[in-house]
Amino acid sequence: MDFHHVSVLLQESVEALNIKPDGIYADGTLGGGGHSYRICERLGNNGKLIGIDQDSNAIAAAAQRLKEYESKVIFVNDNFANIKSILDKVEMNAIDGAIMDLGVSSHQLDEGQRGFSYQHDAPLDMRMDRRNTLTAKSIVNEYSEEEIRKIIFEYGEEKWAKRIANFIVQHRQTAPIETTGELVEIIKRAVPAGARRDGPHPAKRTFQAIRIAVNDELGILETAIRDFVDVLKVGGRLAIITFHSLEDRIVKQTYNSLSSGCECPPQFPICICNKKPIVKLVNRKPRLPSEQELEENPRARSSKLRVLEKL
């Protein structure tokens, strides 16, 4: 199977890790192995990479791509949110750096049968980890109208969320919604013609929202960042690439919280919280893709790279 995924901000993110040849690194979102390949190129014989992905197809594809470095790589089919138990499993207690490229991979979008894309008609699935039981089909057919509205509004930042949720619930009263194609048609009917003419595909935000809900992408993020920082060695770095404002906001706020000191109210004469910064921000503002990268890979458009270093 061809697992094609164009790694975004590849050079910048790998360079940001300051790779030591004998270090231990984790790629929390292995995908097709693009970032991992560049990390492995810089590792010596004693260096190790832990390649983590919840999608078993990604693990299989990355194993092929990283074949020449197989002695350096440990593959783990799991969610990066479980980094602490993953390290226990591979009998390691700390890492020198980690990278995460959030969101859905190009391959998952292009592989129509997975149900991630509004461009292909396929069963409503959207699971990154097929061992999970919750699917997009369960959400659109079983959740209440209010729950669906909330998901589409909060995770998709979709202003027509109320109408879309209402149209979904009306439609499913006659027959269950089985495919992405059916869902796209319902969304198109719900979004007024004037709103459909401008901007992105009318189903884009709803599909993003349902995918985030199916995979609990935002729910796990803050805890995962804090757990990665816990297992970083001093001087170790964490590089995270985000693709939409909700993810980026969580990453930015968590980084800021970890890098800030005293949080006592300004009127207190002395600090009583004793909070010390745990990390420093390597770049105050996020790194963005270059014009050249945007020309070569339009999917990089909304990507942002944020990097921290453990103190």
Side-chain angles (χ1 to χ4, degrees):
M1 177 188 326
D2 176 29
F3 194 109
H4 173 73
H5 176 59
V6 183
S7 300
V8 171
L9 290 158
L10 180 59
Q11 194 71 19
E12 297 88 337
S13 55
V14 173
E15 277 178 5
L17 291 180
N18 274 354
I19 290 167
K20 296 190 282 203
D22 59 349
I24 299 167
Y25 294 87
D27 184 344
T29 47
L30 185 61
H35 290 104
S36 286
Y37 191 91
R38 289 291 179 89
I39 293 169
C40 286
E41 284 179 326
R42 296 167 187 228
L43 291 177
N45 292 334
N46 296 323
K48 278 279 179 238
L49 173 82
I50 305 161
I52 304 161
D53 207 294
Q54 56 184 331
D55 186 337
S56 54
N57 289 359
I59 296 277
Q64 282 299 110
R65 184 165 186 182
L66 301 171
K67 210 157 182 49
E68 64 191 282
Y69 297 118
E70 61 188 358
S71 62
K72 299 177 185 177
V73 187
I74 302 166
F75 294 102
V76 183
N77 184 195
D78 202 340
N79 190 310
F80 63 70
N82 303 322
I83 184 63
K84 289 185 170 177
S85 63
I86 289 168
L87 289 185
D88 283 345
K89 213 183 303 177
V90 299
E91 299 180 340
M92 292 178 180
N93 53 14
I95 55 177
D96 294 281
I99 190 164
M100 289 193 273
D101 178 357
L102 302 177
V104 68
S105 74
S106 317
H107 171 79
Q108 287 164 331
L109 285 171
D110 294 337
E111 192 190 1
Q113 287 311 301
R114 300 292 293 275
F116 286 106
S117 174
Y118 45 81
Q119 316 271 19
H120 304 276
D121 190 24
L124 268 172
D125 192 325
M126 301 198 197
R127 287 173 298 171
M128 290 182 184
D129 184 343
R130 289 184 166 165
R131 295 168 297 189
N132 290 343
T133 51
L134 181 66
T135 65
K137 184 180 168 184
S138 358
I139 287 177
V140 300
N141 288 294
E142 294 163 23
Y143 280 28
S144 71
E145 184 173 333
E146 175 52 23
E147 286 170 323
I148 294 170
R149 182 204 67 79
K150 201 169 173 209
I151 285 169
I152 298 171
F153 182 72
E154 290 184 4
Y155 296 164
E157 299 179 292
E158 169 60 77
K159 68 175 178 182
W160 300 105
K162 193 171 174 16
R163 253 177 88 84
I164 293 167
N166 179 256
F167 275 56
I168 286 171
V169 170
Q170 294 296 326
H171 186 281
R172 76 188 192 194
Q173 283 167 2
T174 50
I177 303 163
E178 303 276 355
T179 69
T180 53
E182 286 174 62
L183 183 57
V184 168
E185 287 310 310
I186 294 164
I187 295 165
K188 281 182 176 171
R189 287 201 301 274
V191 176
R196 290 204 305 269
R197 275 196 291 275
D198 313 318
H201 190 288
K204 182 181 179 181
R205 293 191 178 97
T206 299
F207 269 62
Q208 170 190 296
I210 295 172
R211 186 202 85 218
I212 288 171
V214 168
N215 298 288
D216 192 24
E217 291 172 42
L218 300 179
I220 61 174
L221 192 49
E222 180 180 348
T223 309
I225 293 169
R226 291 179 181 276
D227 284 353
F228 267 91
V229 168
D230 281 350
V231 300
L232 275 181
K233 295 177 187 172
V234 172
R237 289 185 169 189
L238 173 62
I240 300 182
I241 299 165
T242 59
F243 285 86
H244 60 76
S245 56
L246 297 168
E247 285 172 343
D248 187 59
R249 195 178 307 145
I250 293 170
V251 175
K252 180 183 175 182
Q253 287 171 350
T254 310
Y255 275 25
N256 285 344
S257 166
L258 291 163
S259 65
S260 67
C262 171
E263 289 178 344
C264 292
Q267 63 270 30
F268 279 31
I270 56 164
C271 170
I272 57 167
C273 74
N274 294 321
K275 184 174 182 282
K276 300 275 187 286
I278 305 167
V279 305
K280 69 172 185 183
L281 304 181
V282 173
N283 46 349
R284 280 262 157 221
K285 285 194 160 35
R287 295 284 300 273
L288 305 175
S290 64
E291 287 302 318
Q292 184 188 345
E293 178 166 10
L294 290 176
E295 271 173 40
E296 291 167 10
N297 181 17
R299 282 180 180 161
R301 183 154 309 285
S302 54
S303 60
K304 292 179 177 177
L305 168 67
R306 294 185 186 271
V307 186
L308 59 73
E309 182 179 303
K310 186 156 180 186
L311 298 171

